[in-house]
Amino acid sequence: MWHLTTSAAPDIADFVATLHDTSFFSPLRALTVARAPGRLDLMGGIADYSGALVLELPLAMAAVAAVQLTDEPYISVCTTQISDEADSSEVRLALADLAPDGVPLSYAAARALFAADAHIHWAAYLIGVPLVLALEKDISLRGMQILLASAVPAGKGVSSSAAIEVATMRAVAAALGVELDGRTLAILCQKVENLIVGAPCGIMDQMTSACGEANTLLALGCQPAELEPAVRIPAGLAVWGIDSGIRHAVTGADYGSVRVGAFMGYRIVTHLAGAKAYPVGPGRVSVADPFFRGYLANVTPARWLHQFRDQVPVSMRGGEFLAQYGGFTDSVTHIDSDRTYAIRMPTEHPIHEHHRVKLFRALLQRLSESEEQSPDPEIAELLGELMFQSHASYSACRLGSDGTDALVSLVRRAGSDAGLYGAKITGGGSGGTVAILARHDAEAAIHTVARMYAQESGRSALVIGGSSPGAMASGVYEAVWR
């Protein structure tokens, strides 16, 4: 049987204990094992790709990956959870296909390889890891086996993909002797998702999964990925999530079109401010921006309302935008000339959201400094109002859903009398999970909301709680056969 050489977290120990049931690994070489949690987006969400501050809680539920280096000419991956798009839990790709003549595939070629066959597309999250390391760290691809088990549910907006990527990257890098700090680990995992999987996510998911601290909000300034002092959740408060039962996918057209609209808006705002732009490729420009330093979040709400809002179109056809502005600065999405994009609201959201998140953090810090066991009711309700505002802004961007709206409405109806202060849709929106800020002893009220929602909607309503450290704090472990 496989045994850990040192003690480890329970989910790692439980994972290794199950490996006697598989013949996937050879008993002749050790395994390298790592874990990474999902995350609950408390505030910030889709404003991450526009440079906003975000506040994220690493969850108790995590993915665990085990890696074994081999002398075989292929990379084989196996998962105990089969993706909706996969017919098989195991995929094997030859090194000759991944690195013809010893040269790793380009990002575009790797993305095309996995996109061409729906049966293997899920494996891009895993096999993309050694490919990114080969491209970014100049190492040779070599044979390996990767086995993954994840307790982070997919499609619920709690960053199952980032947990998979980060756990795999942590284990593969350690097995190959590549040292990565947490920030670099997260950025490389974002490349897996953006450039190989083809999902245009921001950086907050991977940073939380890699660098988060248990029971603490990771504060990340997404310009592009700067860790700020973590924010303690005051003693009198707690954070939960309730899944709406509506599947969320960052690859969905709604998320992608809102992101495109935000970058179109950034291009227009910088043009109005007088910044110069230079073409760098089809549909893309580089902007010399001394005003907002490359991010919409640096536009103040007052300046947006006074100077720019009325001049940014509500919507615009892609071809018209390209003809007028030449392109935009986003490197992971593209503008469809025949599509009409909403622009004003996707541009407005991160400007106000960045301000809301900064206020939210300041209020949490004020409560923490008071060291009271019961939160100041006025401050708690202000925190809740900021969450409700964020949720309304998602809806204005057309990233809401009937289920998440219903959950937020139930929380608002229960109110502070039940110890529930605020709620909002999380992450990329369009379904998924609602985050709830509540009094620390309000778990019964949380479950009541979940039951009411399930009865009214006929959908499942998973309650999500608990926290654990990110991959860097969790460490890397060795397992041997004996």
Side-chain angles (χ1 to χ4, degrees), residues 295-319:
Y295 297 99
L296 269 175
N298 294 331
V299 181
T300 64
R303 190 171 183 186
W304 162 253
L305 294 169
H306 175 72
Q307 185 175 352
F308 301 124
R309 189 181 193 275
D310 292 342
Q311 297 188 72
V312 173
V314 172
S315 61
M316 182 180 283
R317 196 169 182 83

Side-chain angles (χ1 to χ4, degrees), residues 112-194:
L113 172 68
F114 289 104
D117 187 347
H119 299 279
I120 70 167
H121 186 256
W122 67 270
Y125 291 98
L126 305 180
I127 298 178
V129 165
L131 269 172
V132 166
L133 285 171
L135 289 165
E136 300 294 332
K137 295 297 180 180
D138 194 28
I139 62 171
S140 298
L141 280 177
R142 62 168 298 176
M144 65 181 70
Q145 310 268 87
I146 305 172
L147 179 65
L148 175 89
S150 180
V152 187
K156 298 188 183 300
V158 290
S159 199
S160 59
S161 59
I164 289 168
E165 294 153 2
V166 171
T168 304
M169 183 71 75
R170 185 84 161 109
V172 169
L176 293 173
V178 179
E179 294 187 8
L180 300 175
D181 58 52
R183 184 177 184 273
T184 303
L185 173 69
I187 290 171
L188 293 179
C189 289
Q190 186 192 26
K191 289 182 181 294
V192 173
E193 190 151 352
N194 285 175

